[in-house]
Amino acid sequence: MLEGIPQTKKTILSAVKPSGMLTIGNYLGALKNFVRLKDEGKCFFCVADLHTITVDIEPAKLRKNSFDLYSLFLALGLEGEDSTVFVQSHVAEHSQLAWVLNCFCGFGEAQRMTQFKDLAKKHGAKGQNVGLFAYPILMAADILIYNTDIVPVGDDQKQHVEIARTIAQRFNSKYSPTFTMPEPVITKVGARIKSLSDPTAKMGKSNEDLSGVVMIADEKDVIMKKFARAVTDSETEVRFDQKNKPGISNLLTIYSGFSGLSIKQAEEQFKNSSYKEFKENVGELVCEKLKPIQENMDAYSSDKELLQRKMQEGAEKARVVARKTLSKVYRKVGF
Ligand code: TYM
C-alpha cells in the first residue's frame, strides 16, 4: 500500500504545462509520482496547453511541446485502461467549468496566489493578462471536473490545490454536494528541486539561465557538463544542510530522488568523496535513469499519426467524465 494513499480506488489527476522541455525537477517533483500512482487509482494525466498561453509562446513551439510532452507521458507508461492521458484544450468542458468557477473565487483570493504575484512581477504590466490571474481557477476546473481525490504535484502547486478546495467547498455549500474535495500529494524528497547554477532558485523549464537546468531530454555530455559546473560551497564535506550548503543539499536530493536511497544513505555513500567525484556520480546516475525514458520518448515522438490517434482517444475518454460533471454543475446553477 502506498504511503498517504487510502485503500479504496481513488481518482488521481495531475497536469503539466507544455511550456518548454521538462526538467528533472518536474520528474522528481511530479512525474515520478505519476508513475508510482498510476496503478493505484483511476488516473487522468493532462497536457495543460490552455495554461501555457498565459505567458507569451510561439504557436509552433507550443504545438511541438504538446506533442513532446504527450510522448513523454506515453514513454513513462502513464496510459492504460484506467489511466487516461489527454490534452486540456481537446476537452472543452474544462474551459466551460472554469467560467462557472470564476464566479466562485474572490478577487482577493486569486490575487494572493504566490505564483501569480511572482509571474506578474516577472512579466511586468504588459504580461499581466487576465488569463494569468485566472490561472488557478482553470486549474481548479481541471481537478474538480474529474471528482479528483488526489493531486500529485510539486511544492509550488500546493497553494493552487488549496484554492481548488476552497472553491469546491463554496460551491458545495451554496448548492449541494457536487465536487469531491481534492488532496495534494507532495513527494517527500524532490518537491522543490533547485537550479544547479543557483541553488536558491527553483529549477524551472522557463528559467533564464538554463546552465543549471537539467532537461529530461538532455544528452549525456550536456547533463555531465551541467553537473560538473554545479555550484557548491567552499567546504569539502558532502553533507545535507539546506541553509548553509544549498548546492550540495540539492545534489543530495537529486541523488536520493533518482536512486531511491534516503538522504542519510546518500550522505554516507559520499562521505569520503571529493565534490568533483560526488558531482560525477550524481550526473552518471541521472543519465542512467533518464536513458530508457529518452529512448521510449523518441520512439513515440517520431510517430505523429499514432500520437494524434492516441490524443483523440484520450480526449474522448476524459470527456465522458468531464461532461457528466459539467452538466450536473450547469443544472445546479440554473442553466
Ligand atoms: P508545471 O508545468 O510548472 O510543473 C509540472 C509539475 O512539476 C512540478 N515541478 C517541480 N517539482 C519539484 N521541483 C521543481 N523544480 C519543479 N518544477 C516543477 C510542479 O509542481 C508540477 O507538479 N499549474 C501546473 C499545471 C497544472 C496542474 C493542473 C497541476 C494545470 N492544471 C491540475 C495539477 C492539477 C503547472 O504549472 O505545473
Side-chain angles (χ1 to χ4, degrees), residues 28 55 68 77 90 100 113 120 150 155 160-161 207 233 236 258 263 284 303 315 322 324 326-327 334:
L28 294 177
V55 300
D68 285 349
H90 297 182
V100 176
M113 294 291 107
I150 292 157
D155 211 28
H160 290 162
V161 182
N207 284 20
D233 51 59
T236 53
F258 276 100
I263 300 276
E284 287 285 353
D303 193 343
K324 264 194 207 147
L326 185 70
S327 30

Side-chain angles (χ1 to χ4, degrees), residues 228-242:
R229 290 183 188 153
V231 167
T232 52
D233 51 59
S234 55
E235 297 178 5
T236 53
E237 195 190 358
V238 177
R239 178 170 51 84
F240 191 85
D241 175 350
Q242 239 157 357

